[in-house]
Amino acid sequence: MDSDRSDGAGKAVRNVISGDAVVSGPVVQADRIGSLTFATTPAPAAITPRQVPPPRPGFVNRTAEFAALSAALASYGPDSPPATIVITGLGGVGKTELVSQWVWRELAERFPDGQLYADLAEVRRDGGIDVGGVIGTLVRALGVHESLIPAGTADRSALFRSATAGRRLLVVLDNAQHAAEVRPMLPGHGLAVVLSRKRLASLEVDGAVPLTVGPLDTDAGVQLVRRWQQSAAEPDPASGAAARLVAACGGLPLALRAAGEWLIERPHMSLEAVVDALAEEQLRPGEAGRSVAAVFDAVTATFCAHTLALYRFLGAFPGTTFTADVAGAAGVTRFEDGLRDLRTAHMAVGAGAPGRFRLHDVVAAHARTRTGPEEDVREMRRRVTDFYLLAAARADRLVLGARFRLQEAPPALPDGCHGPFRTGAEALDWLDAERANLLAVLRTAAEEGWHDAVWRLCESLWALYHGRRHYADWIESHRLGIEAARWEGRIDAEVRMRNQLARAHYSLGEYDLADAELSRADELLGAVADARLPGIIRETQGLLCLARKRPDEAIALFTRALHANEGDPHGIVVQSYNLGQAVLAAGRPQEALDLLDGAMARARAEGDDAMQVRIGIVRGRAHRASGRFEHALEAVTDAALLAERLGQVVKLKEALELTVELGDRMQNPRVQRAARSKMRELRQRAGIGEPVG
C-alpha cells in the first residue's frame, strides 16, 4: 500500500508497506518508532562504581573502631531502611583510611551495587559547597544521563533518592562540616558514612550512629614505626625513641607516615638520632599542630630541588587538584619525579581521575605557609591563569563550535600537540574535572586585578555551565565576570556576562533575578555596536515571557531577536524556532507551522541537525493543536529518530512523550505499545528507570 501526503514543509512523504495488508499511516510510524535502537544513547554505567579510595599498606590497630563499626551494622540488612554512620576525628588521624580498610575487609560483598565517594574538601570554597553540584556528580556515576538531571538542589536530591532506592549501595561523604550539606546527599537505600572533623549532632538526632576516631596510642604508633624501621639497614629496637616520635607527632598517622619517609631515607641513622634531628626543640608532645608542622618542615627540607619546587607551587596554587599540565605551565620541571616523592611521603594522593592528584588537606595547609617570595607566587599564579584562559577557550570551541563569542579564537596548537583533550566530549569532561580550579583561578585573578582574563575565562565557561549546569559556580563566576568587564570598560562583555547570568536564574526558575540582570544589560545596549548583543538579550527576555505564559510579549521580543540575527543563518533558524513556539503558545497553530516550516527548510539547508530535532517536536505540537494527529505523529517520529541518532536524550524523551500522548488521542494500540515500550527502554538506558503510566 502507498500513502502519499505532505509533511507540512512542502515535501512529499511516501510510506510503503509490502504484502496484502491494509495499513494506515500511524502503523508505519509505529513501526518506525519500534525501530529505535538507542545506539547513541548512553547506557547506565557498565561498571559498578567502586569509588572509595583503596586501602594502603601499613595499617595498624583500630581494633576497637572496627568493632564499633561492625556493631553499628549488626542489625542492618538488605531490606533495612537507609542507615548513617558519622565518623569524627582530627585531620590526619586516619578516618578515610579506616573506612577504606573497612570497605576492603567487610563491606565489598555487603553492598554489591557499588560505592560512591565524594571528598567535599575538593569542592569547598569559603566554608560552603555546591551541594547540587556534588549530587549531580553522584547521580552521573549511577548512570543517570546528564540532560535528565534537574536544576534545583531539592529536585536533584529527590532524583538521587530515587536512583538509589532499592540498591544495596554505600555512600561515603568525606570532610563534611555541616549536617545541612549532608542531608540532601543521603541515599534512598543503603548506608551513608559521613567523615568530619567535628561532631554533627543533628545527624545523631536523626538516628545516625556516631563514632570518634582518636590518635594512635603509643603501642599502635610504635608498631607502625617499627614497620618502617625494618626498611632501614640497621633496625633499631629502641622503643623509647619510637614512643617519643609517636608522642611528638600527636599519634596522627599522616605525620607519622611523613616521618617514616624521613626515617627510611636515612638508613645509616639510628631511630634515636632521627628523632633528635627531627626535634630540635620543635617537636613537643601535646602540641600536635605545631609538631605536625615541624615534621613536615623536616621532611620537606630533605626534598630535592624539583620536589621542593613542586611543593611550593602546590602551596601557591589556588585550586584543589592538580595535573602535570598545569604544573608544567607554571614552570615546574621534573613533575613525575617530584610527584613520586610526595606520594612516597604520603603527602599527595590520587584525586579520582587518572593523572589528577591533590595534597592531603593537612599537608596543603602546611604547603600554603611555604610558598616562597610574594613576587614569585604572583608570577606563578599569572602563568596558571594564562594556562586556564587558553585551555578553557580551546575547550569551549571544541564543545560548542562556532557560537557567538566576543573574544578572538585561541592560537592553534603546534603539530603533534593535543593538550589535555582532543574531542568535544573530552573537553567537556576536562572542564568538569577542573571546575573547582577554574572558579578558584577566577577568584584569584579578580583579586589580582587581571580583569581582562576574568571576563574572557568566564565567557569560555559557558560550555561547562550549559553542559553540566553547576549553578552555584555559574552564578558566582558570572558575578566576577560582570565586575571585571566593568573594570575593563568592556560594555559589550558586561552585556554578555549579564545575559549568561540571567540564563542561570532562568533555568533555576528565578525569573525576577533574571529580569534584574537583563534590565541592567538593556540599559547598556545603546553603547554597543554589535547587533547580535541586543538579539541575545531579546531572546532571553522572550524565553522568560514564554515561561510566564505571556506569549504576545514573547512574540514581540523574538521578532526583534530575529531581526538582530540578519546575516547569521543559525541565528535566524533559532529565532524563527523561538518565534514559532511563541505563536503556538498564543493559540495560532497554522501561523506557527508556517514559521516552523521555514525554519526547518533553513536548518536542512545548513545541515543543522540539532535544530531540526527541536523544530520537529514543536511542529508535532502545532499539528496536534490543529487536530492533525497523523501529521503530528509523523513530525515527532522524524524528530525522535534524529534525536536518537544524535544522542540527544532529553529531546528524544520529549518526542517519545508526545508520541505516547498522540497514540492515546488516536486510540491506536500499535502506536501506544511502540511508544510506551521505547519510553520505558529510554528511561532505563538514561538511568531513571520509572515506567510510563
Side-chain angles (χ1 to χ4, degrees), residues 519-583:
S519 294
R520 296 186 184 101
D522 212 347
E523 295 169 358
L524 301 172
L525 289 178
V528 299
D530 195 320
R532 291 173 294 181
L533 287 169
I536 65 173
I537 298 300
R538 303 304 170 223
E539 178 184 11
T540 306
Q541 289 173 330
L543 292 172
L544 283 167
C545 287
L546 268 185
R548 287 168 162 153
K549 313 295 184 186
R550 299 193 323 232
D552 291 334
E553 294 176 47
I555 289 170
L557 289 162
F558 288 139
T559 299
R560 295 173 69 182
L562 179 60
H563 292 324
N565 279 274
E566 289 181 5
D568 181 352
H570 175 71
I572 291 173
V573 170
V574 171
Q575 301 312 326
S576 297
Y577 159 76
N578 285 331
L579 187 55
Q581 289 193 96
V583 171

Side-chain angles (χ1 to χ4, degrees), residues 1-2 16-24:
M1 174 182 173
D2 294 351
V16 179
I17 299 294
S18 60
D20 297 327
V22 177
V23 295
S24 61

Side-chain angles (χ1 to χ4, degrees), residues 150-287:
T153 298
D155 290 337
R156 289 188 174 197
S157 180
L159 175 62
F160 182 57
R161 291 193 298 273
S162 297
T164 54
R167 297 197 192 197
R168 296 165 64 186
L169 190 73
L170 174 68
V171 179
V172 179
L173 304 174
D174 207 345
N175 285 302
Q177 289 187 2
H178 311 286
E181 67 190 17
V182 169
R183 284 195 181 93
M185 293 182 272
L186 297 179
H189 193 68
L191 173 66
V193 178
V194 182
L195 312 182
S196 178
R197 294 187 184 181
K198 60 184 181 180
R199 185 175 179 182
L200 303 179
S202 60
L203 287 185
E204 296 178 31
V205 172
D206 294 343
V209 177
L211 172 66
T212 300
V213 177
L216 292 174
D217 60 26
T218 300
D219 289 343
V222 168
Q223 181 183 351
L224 190 59
V225 173
R226 287 186 179 282
R227 290 190 181 183
W228 293 322
Q229 259 191 289
Q230 294 170 8
S231 301
E234 298 178 4
D236 189 334
S239 60
R244 282 178 57 208
L245 181 61
V246 173
C249 292
L252 299 181
L254 180 67
L256 278 167
R257 288 179 182 276
E261 169 65 16
W262 205 91
L263 169 64
I264 292 170
E265 289 291 327
R266 287 158 182 75
H268 59 284
M269 296 178 67
S270 68
L271 179 59
E272 186 80 33
V274 168
V275 174
D276 288 342
L278 283 173
E280 294 181 350
E281 300 181 357
Q282 295 184 57
L283 297 179
R284 301 178 182 178
E287 297 184 21

Side-chain angles (χ1 to χ4, degrees), residues 296-607:
F296 292 154
D297 282 342
V299 171
T300 55
T302 68
F303 283 163
C304 298
H306 57 268
T307 305
L308 188 59
L310 175 60
Y311 193 69
R312 286 176 173 163
F313 156 71
L314 294 175
F317 179 56
T320 55
T321 64
F322 62 93
T323 62
D325 289 319
V326 70
V332 175
T333 59
R334 297 183 62 182
F335 172 81
E336 295 297 337
D337 293 337
L339 177 65
R340 184 182 61 248
D341 291 343
L342 291 177
R343 299 197 75 179
T344 300
H346 304 282
M347 300 172 82
V349 297
R356 188 168 296 278
F357 308 93
R358 67 173 180 87
L359 294 180
H360 188 286
D361 52 347
V362 175
V363 178
H366 176 266
R368 285 193 289 271
T369 67
R370 306 295 190 271
T371 56
E374 185 177 341
E375 58 272 19
D376 291 348
V377 171
R378 193 169 192 269
E379 180 183 355
M380 182 280 297
R381 288 178 172 170
R382 181 71 228 200
R383 290 180 179 178
V384 167
T385 299
D386 290 341
F387 165 79
Y388 281 110
L389 187 63
L390 183 59
R394 287 175 173 151
D396 170 38
R397 289 178 183 269
L398 269 177
V399 175
L400 295 180
R403 73 180 180 97
F404 167 51
R405 298 172 179 86
L406 292 175
Q407 59 186 305
E408 63 280 358
L413 289 169
D415 290 343
C417 180
H418 300 286
F421 40 75
R422 301 188 186 192
T423 66
E426 289 178 357
L428 183 56
D429 287 342
W430 179 86
L431 287 167
D432 201 27
E434 292 280 1
R435 70 184 186 92
N437 293 338
L438 287 161
L439 186 56
V441 167
L442 272 171
R443 288 175 164 178
T444 299
E447 292 169 0
E448 294 285 358
W450 301 326
H451 303 302
D452 186 66
V454 171
W455 78 257
R456 290 176 184 274
L457 180 55
C458 191
E459 184 183 41
S460 296
L461 291 182
W462 178 255
L464 169 63
Y465 300 141
H466 182 267
R468 295 287 164 86
R469 297 177 293 175
H470 300 296
Y471 289 105
D473 291 5
W474 186 346
I475 291 170
E476 181 181 351
S477 64
H478 280 72
R479 286 174 178 160
L480 293 172
I482 289 168
E483 187 66 21
R486 297 179 70 182
W487 275 103
E488 285 289 295
R490 287 293 301 261
I491 296 175
D492 55 347
E494 183 178 351
V495 170
R496 183 72 158 151
M497 296 296 99
R498 289 193 183 279
N499 183 71
Q500 292 187 180
L501 177 55
R503 285 298 187 96
H505 290 306
Y506 162 75
S507 297
L508 288 167
E510 300 168 347
Y511 299 150
D512 289 343
L513 293 176
D515 274 337
E517 296 301 330
L518 294 173
S519 294
R520 296 186 184 101
D522 212 347
E523 295 169 358
L524 301 172
L525 289 178
V528 299
D530 195 320
R532 291 173 294 181
L533 287 169
I536 65 173
I537 298 300
R538 303 304 170 223
E539 178 184 11
T540 306
Q541 289 173 330
L543 292 172
L544 283 167
C545 287
L546 268 185
R548 287 168 162 153
K549 313 295 184 186
R550 299 193 323 232
D552 291 334
E553 294 176 47
I555 289 170
L557 289 162
F558 288 139
T559 299
R560 295 173 69 182
L562 179 60
H563 292 324
N565 279 274
E566 289 181 5
D568 181 352
H570 175 71
I572 291 173
V573 170
V574 171
Q575 301 312 326
S576 297
Y577 159 76
N578 285 331
L579 187 55
Q581 289 193 96
V583 171
L584 178 59
R588 307 199 295 269
Q590 187 54 55
E591 183 182 343
L593 279 169
D594 293 340
L595 286 163
L596 294 166
D597 290 346
M600 181 66 85
R602 284 181 177 272
R604 286 172 177 157
E606 294 294 323

Side-chain angles (χ1 to χ4, degrees), residues 32 35-42 603-604 607-613 636-653 655-656 682:
R32 296 178 69 209
S35 72
L36 286 169
T37 60
F38 304 106
T40 57
T41 302
R604 286 172 177 157
D608 193 340
D609 290 345
M611 284 307 301
Q612 288 184 57
V613 174
V636 76
T637 302
D638 288 341
L641 291 167
L642 184 53
E644 181 273 330
R645 181 168 65 82
L646 298 176
Q648 293 188 351
V649 173
V650 71
K651 289 301 174 184
L652 178 54
K653 179 172 173 284
L656 287 175
L682 174 64

Side-chain angles (χ1 to χ4, degrees), residues 40-177:
T40 57
T41 302
I47 300 175
T48 301
R50 303 287 183 189
Q51 297 180 343
V52 173
R56 295 184 295 189
F59 188 80
V60 297
N61 205 297
R62 301 304 190 191
T63 303
E65 288 85 349
F66 279 129
L69 289 170
S70 297
L73 278 188
S75 61
Y76 179 84
D79 299 324
S80 299
T84 304
I85 297 174
V86 179
I87 301 175
T88 58
L90 295 171
V93 81
K95 300 183 295 295
T96 305
E97 183 62 25
L98 173 67
V99 171
S100 296
Q101 295 283 343
W102 187 39
V103 170
W104 177 66
R105 297 181 185 191
E106 301 182 25
L107 300 188
E109 298 301 323
R110 197 159 186 174
F111 296 95
D113 293 329
Q115 312 150 9
L116 297 177
Y117 175 83
D119 186 350
L120 305 187
E122 294 183 7
V123 294
R124 189 175 303 283
R125 294 179 288 278
D126 293 339
I129 65 170
D130 175 10
V131 175
V134 177
I135 296 174
T137 301
L138 295 175
V139 295
R140 287 185 205 102
L142 293 174
V144 178
H145 193 273
E146 174 64 42
S147 61
L148 299 179
I149 299 174
T153 298
D155 290 337
R156 289 188 174 197
S157 180
L159 175 62
F160 182 57
R161 291 193 298 273
S162 297
T164 54
R167 297 197 192 197
R168 296 165 64 186
L169 190 73
L170 174 68
V171 179
V172 179
L173 304 174
D174 207 345
N175 285 302
Q177 289 187 2

